[in-house]
Amino acid sequence: MLSPLREHLRDSFWFAPVAAMVLVFLVWQGCAQLDGRIIETLQEADAYDAVGDLVAVVSDAKTVVTTVSSAMMTFIGVVFSISLVAVQMASGQFTPRVVRIFVRSRITKATLSVFLSTFLLSLLVLTSYESETDPRLVTSVPLLQSVLTLAMVGLSLLLFVVYVNSTLRLMRVSHVVDRITWDSFDVLAKMPWQEDEAGDFGPVTEHVVHRGRAGVLRDVNVARLVRAARRHGVVIRLLPRIGDFVVPGTPVLAVHGGAAPKGLASSVSVSIERSFHQDLGFGLRQLTDIALRALSPGINDPTTAVQCLDRITQFLAALAGRPLGAAEYREGRKGEGPVRFVQDVPTWSDLVDLGFAEIRIYSANSPQVSRRMLAGIDDLLSLAPEERREPLLRHRALLAQAVERSTPEAADRAFALKPDRQGIG
């Protein structure tokens, strides 16, 4: 079942650093107790020479810990200031939606978490140092704590290199397009096989309306809805699609076969922006946005548009033989029970229009893009069943008409209407 909690946490930038700092605090307490136990054991054994050696080692390490404490926060500020500039440049070059890649990046969160945890640990370790140096009187020698701090510094340096590499990749269009494509395939893999038409579940007995703030329907808690429907013996259907904008008072759930279970409205999540979690068309929307910006006169980068068409064709090819229309979720661990929740998803025609319509309009004057689009449509025509050929043929004919209107020379028209998987290789 699709539960949105994990996805909501991945979209947050605070959870991982806070969890890491709490974990470091607990580990520091454990190390402090072990350090105290080591000193007690050595003093009970009258091994004062060993205690003195530990005090000397820790005194040398204190210089490093102090330096780390004073420099780490400055280092964090500089690194992430530069990174935010890079993200801003990427969002301006491609689309603002690519910022979510940075926010959801595991490397980004791991780097920030380790940096902040190292800074916090260095402060905590400094509180454990004592001014007393007499082996008979000393009560705490932060040996393990100092070693842990040095290890965290080493990990921070390693993650810094990885983080810089990841941030530089974010500025490369090929990497961004690839990430969007595979995020789209992840959505596809999590959704059940659909039927072309949802079954007849009887008349609607009650509607559940949205009472919260206006916004984009981000996702729904499928597991909770299925459990509620099973307990009450009803079928629940999501009325708007994921990604639709809803306002207060809009019916969002329809209940078939009985009264609506209490608390259904809390299973619907509305936010200010769309998410990949359950949105099958969001990936195509982002790829189209990047292609449109690349085709704008201010940028004029048809090669980027061709790269987007490559991935649009790849994603549509994976959907060419798959039933679309409605996702039906059944009760039971293996989904062998009756249908309990139905969610409408875009149809084949919707997805083809999303992938090709806008790019087609702006590609009439770019033979590189028109040639690549024709090749992509021809590839999809060879894969799609007969009943799904109509939207592809429609876009092919409209593209040919647009090129004929915008290109007066016959030779140029013939060149622009020749399918080529590389556009103009």
Side-chain angles (χ1 to χ4, degrees):
M1 294 298 179
L2 297 176
S3 175
L5 177 59
R6 176 175 174 271
E7 295 299 317
H8 289 192
L9 291 178
R10 285 196 64 189
D11 283 337
S12 68
F13 210 68
W14 62 267
F15 178 76
V18 170
M21 287 189 289
V22 171
L23 178 61
V24 162
F25 179 78
L26 296 176
V27 172
W28 167 75
Q29 284 190 324
C31 290
Q33 293 178 1
L34 288 175
D35 283 332
R37 184 57 183 164
I38 291 173
I39 296 302
E40 290 178 3
T41 302
L42 292 176
Q43 289 175 341
E44 290 173 357
D46 294 331
Y48 296 114
D49 291 339
V51 175
D53 293 338
L54 292 180
V55 171
V57 171
V58 169
S59 297
D60 294 335
K62 182 179 180 180
T63 304
V64 178
V65 175
T66 304
T67 303
V68 170
S69 176
S70 60
M72 184 57 71
M73 187 54 68
T74 303
F75 182 63
I76 294 173
V78 171
V79 169
F80 279 88
S81 295
I82 296 174
S83 301
L84 291 177
V85 172
V87 171
Q88 185 178 9
M89 293 176 59
S91 66
Q93 182 180 357
F94 307 130
T95 170
R97 261 68 62 186
V98 302
V99 176
R100 61 170 296 280
I101 298 178
F102 177 82
V103 173
R104 290 172 62 91
S105 171
R106 290 187 175 92
I107 292 298
T108 301
K109 293 178 180 179
T111 303
L112 179 61
S113 300
V114 172
F115 283 6
L116 292 176
S117 299
T118 303
F119 175 69
L120 175 63
L121 180 62
S122 63
L123 296 180
L124 294 173
V125 173
L126 287 176
T127 64
S128 299
Y129 285 99
E130 294 182 355
S131 59
E132 181 62 59
T133 58
D134 189 341
R136 292 175 175 79
L137 301 178
V138 69
T139 60
S140 175
V141 178
L143 176 63
L144 296 179
Q145 301 170 62
S146 300
V147 172
L148 178 61
T149 303
L150 296 178
M152 290 292 289
V153 171
L155 181 60
S156 298
L157 295 176
L158 176 62
L159 281 177
F160 171 69
V161 176
V162 178
Y163 174 73
V164 170
N165 178 69
S166 176
T167 303
L168 291 176
R169 292 177 66 192
L170 179 62
M171 301 179 67
R172 296 165 52 190
V173 63
S174 56
H175 173 70
V176 173
V177 169
D178 183 70
R179 278 291 304 274
I180 293 172
T181 303
W182 290 112
D183 283 345
S184 300
F185 277 108
D186 286 342
V187 178
L188 185 62
K190 295 174 183 176
M191 301 190 74
W193 287 91
Q194 298 86 245
E195 300 295 336
D196 289 326
E197 296 291 339
D200 184 9
F201 305 113
V204 176
T205 54
E206 191 171 348
H207 284 102
V208 177
V209 300
H210 175 57
R211 298 296 185 188
R213 63 177 180 175
V216 175
L217 180 58
R218 172 177 172 151
D219 52 41
V220 295
N221 194 324
V222 175
R224 184 187 300 173
L225 289 171
V226 170
R227 288 195 300 267
R230 176 179 55 81
R231 287 195 303 267
H232 292 79
V234 298
V235 177
I236 302 173
R237 180 160 191 164
L238 182 66
L239 297 178
R241 286 180 183 171
I242 301 296
D244 287 356
F245 191 87
V246 296
V247 297
T250 303
V252 290
L253 296 172
V255 180
H256 301 259
K262 294 182 179 180
L264 286 186
S266 63
S267 300
V268 178
S269 176
V270 173
S271 182
I272 60 175
E273 62 180 353
R274 296 169 69 175
S275 169
F276 263 112
H277 183 213
Q278 299 169 4
D279 196 338
L280 190 60
F282 188 42
L284 289 178
R285 177 70 273 163
Q286 292 187 76
L287 293 173
T288 300
D289 287 346
I290 295 174
L292 292 176
R293 181 161 297 196
L295 292 173
S296 65
I299 297 180
N300 193 23
D301 181 15
T303 303
T304 294
V306 168
Q307 289 181 284
C308 293
L309 283 171
D310 292 341
R311 298 301 188 168
I312 290 172
T313 303
Q314 176 189 2
F315 187 63
L316 291 176
L319 292 169
R322 180 165 182 165
L324 295 167
E328 298 181 346
Y329 297 88
R330 301 174 180 270
E331 66 177 66
R333 292 185 176 180
K334 297 182 179 180
E336 70 280 0
V339 175
R340 291 303 181 189
F341 176 66
V342 181
Q343 170 189 341
D344 287 342
V345 298
T347 64
W348 170 254
S349 181
D350 294 333
L351 295 172
V352 171
D353 291 341
L354 178 57
F356 289 135
E358 294 174 288
I359 301 177
R360 169 178 53 78
I361 294 174
Y362 293 98
S363 65
N365 295 317
S366 175
Q368 182 180 0
V369 181
S370 63
R371 287 160 63 98
R372 179 62 188 98
M373 182 176 289
L374 288 171
I377 292 175
D378 289 346
D379 288 340
L380 292 173
L381 285 170
S382 66
L383 297 173
E386 185 66 30
E387 63 273 12
R388 292 191 171 179
R389 295 170 61 89
E390 186 278 328
L392 297 170
L393 293 173
R394 171 165 49 85
H395 283 290
R396 200 182 198 289
L398 290 173
L399 177 59
Q401 294 173 13
V403 171
E404 289 174 359
R405 288 194 301 266
S406 62
T407 309
E409 297 295 333
D412 290 338
R413 288 199 300 270
F415 180 79
L417 293 176
K418 180 181 179 180
D420 186 343
R421 289 189 178 90
Q422 294 186 22
I424 302 175

